[in-house]
Amino acid sequence: MAKVLMKGNEAIAEAAIQAGCKYFFGYPITPQNEIPAYMAKKLPQIGGTFLQAESEVAAINMVYGAAGTGARVMTSSSGPGISLKQEGISYIAGADLPCVIVNIVRSGPGLGGIQPAQSDYFQTVKGGGHGDYYMVVYAPATIQEAVDVTMEAFDVADQYRTPVTILGDGMLGQMMEPVEFKQPKKRTLEEKSWATTGYIGDRPRNIINSLYIVPSMLEDTIRKRFERYEVIKKEETKVEVYNCEDAQIIIAAYGTTSRICRSVIEAAEEIGIKVGLIRPITVWPFPDQAFEEYANKDAVKAFLAVEMSMGQMVEDVRLAVNGRKPVHFTGRTGGMVPTPKEILDKIKIILEEVN
Amino acid sequence: MAVVFDKTKGLTDKAFHYCPGCTHGIAHRLVAEAMEELGVLEKAIGVAPVGCAVFAYEYFNCDMQEASHGRAPAVATGIKRVLPDNIVFTYQGDGDLASIGTAEIIHAAARGENITVIFINNTTYGMTGGQMAPTTLVGQVTTTSPNGRDPMLAGYPIKMSEMLATIEGAAYIERVSLHDIKHIKHAKKSIKKAFENQINKKGFSLIEVLSTCPTNWGVSPKDAMLWLEKNMIPNFPLGVKKEVE
């Protein structure tokens, strides 16, 4: 299929449709409004349903209901709306329901602003809702990658019976790039024998539920889910390692910020500083191994996490590096975007310190 | 030996956890019998609430989903939009439907979702130990209105059926009661009609069922029935609030 020029939000919506998503429940919030608008136009044409819910709370619970029937279903929102969805996301994780959630991150806290940010990392990656759970979180850096991971997200959600989040930001949602829609590698997916579709006596009665009043049963259920998380860590972790051979400084950055960091690498090269980039594509599971590998190399003097936040992913970088090398942070927040110069200046300071 | 009475196939054999004298048991049976008589058990998908009926998914003999507090109408919407030919119902209490879930029930009605809602009103939060509910009567003593509900402090009880009847998308709204045999028989007919409406794709149907909570009201099951009749019915008048032909 030929490449087409598309806006990030619309490309994510089209990718979902091409992945077989026929149901979308959402609520307006900037900067993700093109996703529901695209779905409202397209889904009825393919026999699906778009529904604008009365709130984000209702939207995520509609997703719960639809996912419980075994349908491929998606919702999208941004920071404040994702906060409202957290209750539902916790129930979805607790009931082992597959679905895809898109967060086109804006700045916070509170109403914050509508410019791009990465300050929802903690909320998305560290649980957000109540209870012991994780979900797979993709952090695409280009619109093509957003398309690819959105299509894969539906398979991953079904395979592991888990919610999956696409963690974008206002920049990725609003800009245009050429994209191509390619089906991901074929996975063997089990039939959804657990779905509530009407009980005609040929299988046990199905119940979608997260309540286990007997503590030992709840613990067993959670432990089984965490065994699945271990498989996800092994099979689904995605990372790009760029220019890291002989690098003195390794930048850790995801999404939009990683693109800025690439130009920093070029600028550093020109003045004789060797900088590499470890770019998590999944931020949960976090690509610990890539960091461990380079933390053990003598050439590497320090790591530098760059984010559009006050420093959230940097905590995962520190956990992965585990004291073997210094881990620094630089970033902008509130909708401000770090410039290549700011990042390069920080690299120079770090190098002066280590030398 | 001749069988003179058989339990409805709409209920599982699981023993109810409800307190002695609580009318949830009657309401469950009426809903289950209605579904069995209409032959829809095999395509029914129920949504259980948070509250005393939280374990309803263990009792209704059909596929079930357990919703978070107040969100059953949204969950039911998600199910019904994927499976429009299945029979989807919610079973919710007054705290669930008339307090935390007001937005969800109003908008499900406004959209005319073709679902059946069974709304149990016993003027109290039973599961959590008898707190004031949105439907608690003025002057009624609960653990969180120890001197009786004071409207100056805690406002007035909400009449959900009357409110929902003003919504254009609602097809059928009726308030019934379980305080005596005559009213129980009528409640059964109304509940059955609420399911028939869904089969006939008439749209949103809600039956408000006045119920008792002897445990938290602190009265015997028999006195609870009398209390309902004497105190609740004057505040929550019975009858059809809206019916679209």
Side-chain angles (χ1 to χ4, degrees), chain A residues 274-334:
Chain A
K274 193 102 175 37
V275 178
L277 171 71
I278 297 180
R279 179 175 74 86
I281 301 170
T282 52
V283 281
W284 197 91
F286 195 74
D288 294 322
Q289 277 181 4
F291 287 97
E292 282 167 23
E293 188 189 333
Y294 286 94
N296 287 328
K297 294 203 187 254
D298 291 338
V300 178
K301 301 298 175 205
F303 289 83
L304 171 63
V306 185
E307 300 173 59
M308 290 191 287
S309 77
M310 291 301 285
Q312 300 194 8
M313 179 197 63
V314 63
E315 294 191 2
D316 282 336
V317 177
R318 287 200 177 109
L319 284 171
V321 171
N322 201 13
R324 281 171 283 204
K325 292 285 158 65
V327 176
H328 298 266
F329 171 77
T330 188
R332 298 292 300 271
T333 194

Coordinates of all heavy atoms in Angstrom, one line a residue, chain A residues 274-334:
Chain A
K274 N 30.9 12.0 21.6 CA 30.2 10.8 21.1 C 29.0 10.5 22.0 O 29.2 10.2 23.2 CB 31.2 9.6 21.1 CG 30.7 8.4 20.3 CD 31.3 8.4 18.9 CE 31.0 7.1 18.1 NZ 29.7 6.5 18.0
V275 N 27.8 10.7 21.4 CA 26.6 10.6 22.2 C 25.7 9.5 21.6 O 25.6 9.4 20.4 CB 25.8 11.9 22.3 CG1 24.5 11.7 23.1 CG2 26.6 13.0 22.9
G276 N 25.2 8.6 22.4 CA 24.3 7.6 21.9 C 22.9 7.8 22.5 O 22.6 8.7 23.3
L277 N 21.9 7.0 22.0 CA 20.5 7.1 22.4 C 19.9 5.8 22.7 O 20.0 4.9 21.8 CB 19.7 7.8 21.3 CG 18.2 7.9 21.5 CD1 17.8 8.8 22.6 CD2 17.5 8.3 20.2
I278 N 19.4 5.6 23.8 CA 18.5 4.4 24.1 C 17.1 4.9 24.2 O 16.8 5.7 25.0 CB 18.9 3.6 25.4 CG1 20.4 3.1 25.2 CG2 18.0 2.5 25.6 CD1 20.9 2.3 26.5
R279 N 16.3 4.4 23.2 CA 14.9 4.9 23.1 C 13.9 3.8 23.4 O 13.7 2.9 22.6 CB 14.7 5.4 21.7 CG 13.3 6.0 21.4 CD 13.1 6.6 20.1 NE 13.1 5.6 19.0 CZ 12.0 5.0 18.6 NH1 10.8 5.3 19.2 NH2 12.0 4.1 17.6
P280 N 13.3 3.8 24.6 CA 12.3 2.8 24.9 C 11.1 3.0 23.9 O 10.6 4.1 23.8 CB 11.9 3.1 26.3 CG 13.0 3.9 26.9 CD 13.6 4.7 25.7
I281 N 10.7 2.0 23.3 CA 9.5 2.0 22.5 C 8.3 1.5 23.3 O 7.2 2.0 23.3 CB 9.7 1.2 21.2 CG1 10.8 1.8 20.4 CG2 8.3 1.2 20.3 CD1 11.2 0.9 19.2
T282 N 8.6 0.5 24.2 CA 7.7 0.2 25.3 C 8.3 0.8 26.5 O 9.5 0.6 26.8 CB 7.6 -1.4 25.5 OG1 8.9 -1.9 25.6 CG2 6.8 -2.0 24.3
V283 N 7.5 1.6 27.2 CA 8.0 2.1 28.5 C 7.5 1.2 29.6 O 8.0 1.3 30.7 CB 7.6 3.6 28.7 CG1 8.5 4.5 27.9 CG2 6.1 3.9 28.3
W284 N 6.5 0.4 29.4 CA 6.2 -0.8 30.2 C 5.9 -1.9 29.3 O 4.9 -1.8 28.5 CB 5.1 -0.6 31.3 CG 5.3 -1.8 32.3 CD1 6.1 -1.7 33.4 CD2 4.9 -3.1 32.1 NE1 6.1 -2.9 34.0 CE2 5.4 -3.8 33.2 CE3 4.1 -3.8 31.2 CZ2 5.1 -5.2 33.4 CZ3 3.9 -5.2 31.4 CH2 4.4 -5.9 32.5
P285 N 6.6 -3.0 29.2 CA 7.8 -3.2 30.0 C 9.0 -2.3 29.6 O 9.1 -2.0 28.4 CB 8.2 -4.7 29.7 CG 7.5 -5.0 28.5 CD 6.3 -4.1 28.4
F286 N 9.8 -1.9 30.6 CA 10.9 -1.0 30.3 C 12.1 -1.8 29.9 O 12.4 -2.8 30.4 CB 11.2 -0.2 31.6 CG 12.1 1.0 31.4 CD1 11.6 2.2 30.8 CD2 13.4 1.0 31.8 CE1 12.4 3.3 30.6 CE2 14.3 2.1 31.6 CZ 13.7 3.2 31.0
P287 N 12.8 -1.3 28.9 CA 13.9 -2.0 28.3 C 15.2 -2.0 29.2 O 16.2 -1.5 28.9 CB 14.2 -1.4 27.0 CG 13.7 0.0 27.2 CD 12.6 0.0 28.1
D288 N 15.1 -2.6 30.4 CA 16.2 -2.6 31.4 C 17.5 -3.2 30.8 O 18.5 -2.6 31.1 CB 15.8 -3.5 32.6 CG 14.6 -2.9 33.4 OD1 14.6 -1.7 33.5 OD2 13.8 -3.7 33.8
Q289 N 17.3 -4.2 30.0 CA 18.6 -4.9 29.5 C 19.5 -4.0 28.7 O 20.7 -4.1 28.9 CB 18.2 -6.2 28.7 CG 17.9 -7.3 29.6 CD 17.6 -8.6 28.8 OE1 17.6 -8.6 27.6 NE2 17.2 -9.6 29.5
A290 N 18.9 -3.2 27.9 CA 19.7 -2.3 27.0 C 20.5 -1.3 27.9 O 21.7 -1.1 27.7 CB 18.8 -1.5 26.1
F291 N 19.8 -0.8 29.0 CA 20.6 0.1 29.9 C 21.7 -0.7 30.6 O 22.8 -0.2 30.8 CB 19.6 0.7 30.8 CG 18.8 1.8 30.2 CD1 17.5 1.5 29.7 CD2 19.3 3.1 30.0 CE1 16.7 2.5 29.0 CE2 18.5 4.1 29.3 CZ 17.2 3.8 28.8
E292 N 21.3 -1.9 31.1 CA 22.3 -2.7 31.8 C 23.5 -2.9 31.0 O 24.7 -2.8 31.5 CB 21.7 -4.1 32.2 CG 20.8 -4.0 33.4 CD 19.9 -5.2 33.6 OE1 20.4 -6.3 33.1 OE2 18.9 -5.1 34.3
E293 N 23.3 -3.3 29.7 CA 24.4 -3.6 28.8 C 25.4 -2.4 28.7 O 26.6 -2.6 28.9 CB 23.9 -4.0 27.5 CG 24.9 -4.5 26.5 CD 24.4 -4.7 25.1 OE1 23.1 -4.9 24.9 OE2 25.2 -4.5 24.2
Y294 N 24.8 -1.2 28.5 CA 25.7 -0.1 28.3 C 26.2 0.5 29.6 O 27.3 1.1 29.6 CB 25.0 1.0 27.4 CG 25.0 0.5 26.0 CD1 23.9 -0.2 25.5 CD2 26.1 0.6 25.2 CE1 23.9 -0.7 24.2 CE2 26.1 0.2 23.9 CZ 25.0 -0.5 23.4 OH 25.0 -1.0 22.1
A295 N 25.5 0.2 30.7 CA 26.0 0.7 32.0 C 27.3 0.0 32.4 O 28.1 0.5 33.1 CB 25.0 0.4 33.1
N296 N 27.5 -1.2 31.8 CA 28.7 -2.0 32.1 C 29.9 -1.6 31.2 O 31.0 -2.2 31.4 CB 28.4 -3.5 31.9 CG 27.6 -4.0 33.1 OD1 27.7 -3.5 34.2 ND2 26.7 -5.0 32.8
K297 N 29.7 -0.8 30.2 CA 30.8 -0.4 29.3 C 31.7 0.7 29.8 O 31.1 1.7 30.3 CB 30.2 -0.1 27.9 CG 29.5 -1.2 27.2 CD 29.5 -1.0 25.7 CE 28.6 -2.1 25.1 NZ 29.3 -3.1 24.4
D298 N 33.0 0.5 29.7 CA 33.9 1.5 30.2 C 33.8 2.9 29.5 O 33.9 3.9 30.1 CB 35.4 1.0 30.1 CG 35.6 -0.1 31.0 OD1 34.9 -0.2 32.0 OD2 36.5 -0.9 30.8
A299 N 33.5 2.8 28.2 CA 33.5 4.1 27.4 C 32.3 5.0 27.9 O 32.5 6.2 27.8 CB 33.2 3.8 25.9
V300 N 31.3 4.4 28.4 CA 30.1 5.2 28.9 C 30.4 5.9 30.2 O 30.8 5.2 31.2 CB 28.9 4.3 29.0 CG1 27.7 5.1 29.5 CG2 28.5 3.6 27.7
K301 N 30.4 7.2 30.2 CA 30.7 8.0 31.4 C 29.4 8.3 32.2 O 29.5 8.3 33.4 CB 31.4 9.3 31.1 CG 32.7 9.1 30.3 CD 33.7 8.4 31.1 CE 35.0 8.1 30.3 NZ 35.7 6.9 30.7
A302 N 28.3 8.5 31.5 CA 27.1 8.9 32.2 C 25.9 8.7 31.3 O 26.0 8.6 30.1 CB 27.2 10.3 32.7
F303 N 24.7 8.6 31.9 CA 23.4 8.6 31.2 C 22.7 9.9 31.4 O 22.9 10.5 32.5 CB 22.5 7.4 31.7 CG 23.0 6.1 31.3 CD1 24.0 5.4 32.0 CD2 22.5 5.5 30.2 CE1 24.5 4.2 31.6 CE2 23.0 4.2 29.8 CZ 23.9 3.6 30.5
L304 N 21.9 10.3 30.4 CA 21.2 11.6 30.6 C 19.8 11.3 30.1 O 19.5 11.0 28.9 CB 21.8 12.7 29.7 CG 21.0 14.0 29.6 CD1 20.8 14.6 30.9 CD2 21.7 14.9 28.6
A305 N 18.8 11.4 31.0 CA 17.4 11.2 30.6 C 16.9 12.6 30.2 O 17.1 13.6 30.9 CB 16.6 10.7 31.8
V306 N 16.2 12.6 29.1 CA 15.6 13.9 28.6 C 14.1 13.7 28.4 O 13.7 12.8 27.7 CB 16.3 14.4 27.3 CG1 15.7 15.7 26.9 CG2 17.8 14.4 27.4
E307 N 13.3 14.5 29.1 CA 11.9 14.4 29.0 C 11.2 15.7 29.0 O 11.7 16.7 29.4 CB 11.4 13.6 30.3 CG 12.0 12.2 30.5 CD 11.6 11.7 31.8 OE1 10.4 11.5 32.1 OE2 12.5 11.4 32.7
M308 N 10.0 15.7 28.5 CA 9.1 16.9 28.6 C 8.3 16.7 29.9 O 7.1 16.5 29.9 CB 8.2 17.0 27.4 CG 8.9 17.4 26.1 SD 7.8 17.8 24.8 CE 7.1 16.2 24.3
S309 N 9.0 16.8 31.0 CA 8.5 16.7 32.4 C 9.5 17.1 33.3 O 10.7 17.4 32.9 CB 8.0 15.2 32.7 OG 9.2 14.4 33.0
M310 N 9.3 17.0 34.6 CA 10.3 17.4 35.6 C 11.2 16.2 35.9 O 12.0 16.2 36.9 CB 9.6 17.9 36.9 CG 9.0 19.3 36.7 SD 10.1 20.6 36.2 CE 11.0 20.8 37.7
G311 N 11.0 15.1 35.2 CA 11.8 13.9 35.4 C 11.0 12.7 36.0 O 10.8 12.6 37.2
Q312 N 10.5 11.9 35.1 CA 9.7 10.7 35.6 C 10.3 9.4 35.1 O 10.7 8.6 35.9 CB 8.2 10.9 35.1 CG 7.6 12.2 35.6 CD 6.1 12.2 35.5 OE1 5.4 11.3 35.1 NE2 5.5 13.4 35.8
M313 N 10.5 9.3 33.7 CA 11.2 8.1 33.2 C 12.6 7.9 33.8 O 13.1 6.8 34.0 CB 11.2 8.1 31.7 CG 11.9 6.9 31.1 SD 12.4 7.1 29.4 CE 13.6 8.4 29.6
V314 N 13.2 9.1 34.2 CA 14.6 9.0 34.7 C 14.6 8.0 35.9 O 15.7 7.4 36.1 CB 15.1 10.4 35.1 CG1 14.2 11.0 36.2 CG2 16.5 10.4 35.5
E315 N 13.6 7.9 36.6 CA 13.6 6.9 37.8 C 13.8 5.5 37.3 O 14.5 4.7 37.9 CB 12.3 7.0 38.6 CG 12.2 8.4 39.3 CD 11.1 8.5 40.3 OE1 10.4 7.5 40.6 OE2 11.0 9.6 40.9
D316 N 13.1 5.1 36.1 CA 13.3 3.8 35.6 C 14.7 3.6 35.0 O 15.3 2.5 35.1 CB 12.2 3.5 34.5 CG 10.9 3.2 35.1 OD1 10.9 2.7 36.3 OD2 9.9 3.4 34.5
V317 N 15.3 4.7 34.5 CA 16.7 4.6 34.0 C 17.6 4.3 35.2 O 18.5 3.5 35.1 CB 17.0 5.9 33.3 CG1 18.5 5.9 32.8 CG2 16.1 6.2 32.1
R318 N 17.4 5.0 36.3 CA 18.2 4.8 37.5 C 18.1 3.4 38.0 O 19.1 2.8 38.4 CB 17.8 5.8 38.6 CG 18.3 7.2 38.3 CD 18.4 8.1 39.5 NE 18.9 9.4 39.1 CZ 18.1 10.5 39.1 NH1 16.9 10.5 39.5 NH2 18.6 11.7 38.6
L319 N 16.9 2.9 38.0 CA 16.7 1.5 38.4 C 17.4 0.5 37.6 O 18.0 -0.4 38.0 CB 15.2 1.1 38.5 CG 14.4 1.7 39.6 CD1 12.9 1.5 39.4 CD2 14.8 1.1 40.9
A320 N 17.4 0.8 36.2 CA 18.1 -0.1 35.3 C 19.6 0.0 35.4 O 20.3 -1.0 35.4 CB 17.6 0.1 33.9
V321 N 20.1 1.2 35.5 CA 21.5 1.5 35.6 C 22.1 1.0 36.9 O 23.2 0.6 37.0 CB 21.8 3.0 35.3 CG1 23.3 3.3 35.6 CG2 21.5 3.3 33.8
N322 N 21.2 1.1 37.9 CA 21.5 0.6 39.3 C 22.8 1.0 39.8 O 23.6 0.2 40.3 CB 21.4 -1.0 39.2 CG 21.2 -1.6 40.5 OD1 20.8 -0.9 41.5 ND2 21.3 -2.9 40.6
G323 N 23.1 2.3 39.8 CA 24.3 2.8 40.4 C 25.6 2.6 39.7 O 26.6 3.1 40.2
R324 N 25.6 1.9 38.6 CA 26.8 1.6 37.9 C 27.4 2.8 37.2 O 28.6 2.9 37.0 CB 26.6 0.5 36.8 CG 26.6 -0.9 37.5 CD 26.1 -2.0 36.5 NE 24.7 -1.9 36.3 CZ 23.9 -2.9 36.0 NH1 24.5 -4.1 35.7 NH2 22.6 -2.8 35.8
K325 N 26.6 3.8 36.8 CA 27.0 5.0 36.2 C 26.1 6.1 36.7 O 25.0 5.9 37.1 CB 26.9 4.9 34.6 CG 27.9 4.0 34.0 CD 29.3 4.4 34.0 CE 30.4 3.3 33.9 NZ 30.3 2.5 32.6
P326 N 26.6 7.4 36.7 CA 25.7 8.5 37.1 C 24.6 8.6 36.1 O 24.8 8.4 34.9 CB 26.6 9.7 37.0 CG 28.0 9.3 36.8 CD 28.0 7.8 36.3
V327 N 23.4 9.0 36.6 CA 22.2 9.2 35.7 C 21.8 10.7 35.9 O 21.4 11.0 37.0 CB 21.1 8.2 36.0 CG1 19.9 8.6 35.1 CG2 21.5 6.8 35.7
H328 N 21.8 11.5 34.9 CA 21.4 12.9 35.0 C 20.1 13.1 34.3 O 19.6 12.2 33.6 CB 22.5 13.8 34.3 CG 23.8 13.7 34.9 ND1 24.2 14.5 35.9 CD2 24.8 12.8 34.8 CE1 25.5 14.2 36.3 NE2 25.9 13.1 35.6
F329 N 19.6 14.3 34.5 CA 18.3 14.6 33.9 C 18.3 16.0 33.4 O 18.8 16.9 34.1 CB 17.1 14.4 34.9 CG 15.8 14.9 34.4 CD1 15.1 14.2 33.5 CD2 15.3 16.2 34.8 CE1 13.9 14.7 33.0 CE2 14.1 16.7 34.2 CZ 13.4 15.9 33.3
T330 N 17.6 16.2 32.3 CA 17.3 17.6 31.9 C 15.9 17.5 31.2 O 15.6 16.5 30.6 CB 18.3 18.2 31.0 OG1 18.0 19.6 30.8 CG2 18.4 17.5 29.6
G331 N 15.2 18.5 31.3 CA 13.9 18.5 30.6 C 13.2 19.8 30.7 O 13.6 20.7 31.4
R332 N 12.1 20.0 30.0 CA 11.2 21.1 30.1 C 9.8 20.6 30.4 O 9.5 19.4 30.1 CB 11.2 21.9 28.8 CG 12.5 22.5 28.4 CD 13.0 23.6 29.3 NE 12.2 24.8 29.4 CZ 12.2 25.8 28.6 NH1 13.1 25.9 27.6 NH2 11.4 26.8 28.8
T333 N 9.0 21.4 31.0 CA 7.7 20.9 31.3 C 6.6 22.0 31.1 O 7.0 23.1 30.6 CB 7.6 20.4 32.8 OG1 6.4 19.7 33.0 CG2 7.7 21.6 33.8
G334 N 5.4 21.7 31.4 CA 4.3 22.7 31.2 C 3.9 23.0 29.8 O 3.3 24.0 29.5

